[in-house]
Amino acid sequence: MKKFIAGLMCAVMVVACVACGKTEKKETVSESKAETAESAVADNKDLKEINVVLDWYPNAVHGFIYDAIEKGYYAEEGLKVNVQFPSNTNDAMSLTAAGKAEVGIYYPQDVIMARANQDVPVRSIGALTQSGLNIVLSLKEKNINSPKDLVGKTIGYSGTELSEQLIRAMMENVGVSSDSVTMVDVGFDLMSAMTTGQVDATIGCMVNHEVPQLEKEGFEVNYFYPYEYGVPEGYELIFVASDDMINNNSDTLAAFMRASAKGFEDMKANPEEVLDILLANQNEENFPLDKDVEMRSMEILLPVMSGEEVAFFMQDASIWQENIDWLKDAGLLKNDITPEDLMANVMN
């Protein structure tokens, strides 16, 4: 889904001198945090290493993880977190299931299907977002404002049966047939498929990434959410761990979650500082980040990652059940499954 000096030295030195007071203060704060991290490492000489597989390359939604690493929150819990990027789309689930990683970030509906249909031994230990980010996205010039406007259109997607079912369900919800829709598998080239006119709209883009990215590039867009048209509300991203890890190493997972929650508190309190940490850890070769886009992404993400009544990581069995029922009615589940098969609370 994704890709993206010297002649003024005297002037720069002048500005640096003028701002030296502010710079000195900022460096003092940074040094204090570095000392905290170093102290945590010194106090935990035998840090337990755990591998965390992201859903994609580093971006705003992962900021709290890098903050917790940078500031020593994981080290304070006795952990050394190694962040891995997926080489295949399902690595976050498959590697944790196989015991090759302790934690992964993945998609709840895919976990439901994998557990019900293939008995993949993973469960969710916490929700990163409390509502969906997946949207049907189009350029404004296409005048697509609801599922009714998809009739006769070409829709790009990443080749999953779930995406096809989401389109069918939304169109049925507003009383139109999906028979006239042409679905085109464009892989991860969702944005370019739209901007080059290959498709009229896409499903699978995220409101916190592709929307600000396209707007930064000068495009005007329209979008709507599946949950506005009959698809149950749900989490977009979750932390997953294997049954074995949950049953035998829940203390390690609880420590990881506590430190991650501290990183998220920083992300809420000072998103720009956390963004700077994220940018320093970006994978520039494969997924370069734009600071303006990622800041806008954080602004979109923070309200859906937690709220007044919903804490970060909270998950509700009723949300899982609604998604189970919807997937079953859609014919995407071969076997029965319960929320208890899919979620675990390791913080108790």
Side-chain angles (χ1 to χ4, degrees):
M1 303 169 91
K2 331 221 173 206
K3 270 187 181 191
F4 310 106
I5 169 172
L8 298 177
M9 184 60 73
C10 291
V12 171
M13 291 176 65
V14 170
V15 173
C17 290
V18 172
C20 65
K22 293 182 180 179
T23 302
E24 185 175 307
K25 184 177 181 180
K26 184 175 182 180
E27 287 176 350
T28 302
V29 172
S30 298
E31 288 168 3
S32 174
K33 288 170 181 171
E35 288 170 4
T36 300
E38 289 174 6
S39 175
V41 173
D43 293 340
N44 295 276
K45 299 197 184 300
D46 297 321
L47 296 179
K48 182 174 184 178
E49 292 197 38
I50 68 169
N51 297 306
V52 178
V53 184
L54 303 185
D55 53 300
W56 190 244
Y57 294 108
N59 61 81
V61 76
H62 309 121
F64 68 94
I65 296 175
Y66 288 98
D67 178 83
I69 293 172
E70 176 80 10
K71 296 178 182 172
Y73 299 152
Y74 292 122
E76 289 169 2
E77 293 283 356
L79 303 177
K80 181 180 185 300
V81 170
N82 303 315
V83 177
Q84 298 181 5
F85 315 139
S87 56
N88 295 300
T89 56
N90 67 342
D91 275 358
M93 180 171 61
S94 62
L95 293 178
T96 53
K100 295 180 180 179
E102 284 69 31
V103 179
I105 299 177
Y106 210 55
Y107 312 98
Q109 291 181 329
D110 294 272
V111 170
I112 294 172
M113 291 188 290
R115 184 100 199 195
N117 299 340
Q118 300 168 308
D119 198 25
V120 176
V122 297
R123 281 179 279 170
S124 170
I125 58 173
L128 274 68
T129 64
Q130 296 296 320
S131 64
L133 303 172
N134 185 18
I135 53 175
V136 176
L137 179 64
S138 60
L139 299 183
K140 191 171 184 178
E141 63 195 43
K142 296 292 184 177
N143 199 31
I144 298 174
N145 299 293
S146 82
K148 285 185 177 181
D149 301 320
L150 296 177
V151 174
K153 298 295 193 296
T154 299
I155 303 172
Y157 72 122
S158 295
T160 66
E161 188 178 6
L162 178 58
S163 292
E164 295 178 12
Q165 182 56 39
L166 288 171
I167 293 295
R168 285 194 292 268
M170 285 185 284
M171 296 185 74
E172 289 171 6
N173 180 261
V174 296
V176 296
S177 172
S178 61
D179 291 345
S180 68
V181 166
T182 301
M183 301 291 292
V184 177
D185 183 358
V186 297
F188 293 128
D189 297 324
L190 294 167
M191 284 198 298
S192 62
M194 276 188 298
T195 57
T196 60
Q198 183 181 349
V199 299
D200 298 305
T202 60
I203 184 166
C205 287
M206 300 293 161
V207 68
N208 66 298
H209 179 70
E210 278 81 1
V211 170
Q213 181 67 52
L214 285 169
E215 290 177 339
K216 179 70 182 287
E217 294 175 9
F219 294 97
E220 292 184 289
V221 300
N222 289 333
Y223 63 88
F224 53 86
Y225 296 89
Y227 65 72
E228 295 175 317
Y229 296 97
V231 177
E233 180 65 285
Y235 315 117
E236 189 65 52
L237 295 170
I238 54 175
F239 273 136
V240 296
S242 69
D243 287 351
D244 180 69
M245 189 73 189
I246 292 167
N247 294 336
N248 299 309
N249 291 283
S250 62
D251 288 350
T252 298
L253 293 175
F256 171 78
M257 300 290 272
R258 285 193 298 268
S260 296
K262 287 183 180 179
F264 180 67
E265 289 303 311
D266 287 350
M267 190 166 154
K268 287 195 300 182
N270 196 339
E272 189 162 1
E273 179 187 52
V274 173
L275 178 56
D276 286 340
I277 294 172
L278 171 69
L279 292 173
N281 290 278
Q282 66 179 297
N283 187 287
E284 199 161 4
E285 180 182 355
N286 294 301
F287 196 65
L289 302 179
D290 179 284
K291 186 170 185 176
D292 294 337
V293 170
E294 296 308 310
M295 179 54 72
R296 177 60 186 138
S297 180
M298 279 201 181
E299 292 169 357
I300 295 169
L301 284 167
L302 286 171
V304 301
M305 293 178 81
S306 72
E308 291 183 5
E309 300 180 1
V310 185
F312 189 44
F313 293 146
M314 184 178 290
Q315 48 184 344
D316 190 323
S318 66
I319 299 294
W320 284 100
Q321 188 63 58
E322 288 173 6
N323 281 269
I324 291 169
D325 294 342
W326 184 82
L327 289 167
K328 187 173 183 179
D329 290 343
L332 297 178
L333 298 186
K334 297 177 182 177
N335 302 301
D336 291 334
I337 196 167
T338 69
E340 290 69 32
D341 298 320
L342 297 162
M343 56 184 285
N345 184 359
V346 299
M347 298 294 284
N348 287 338

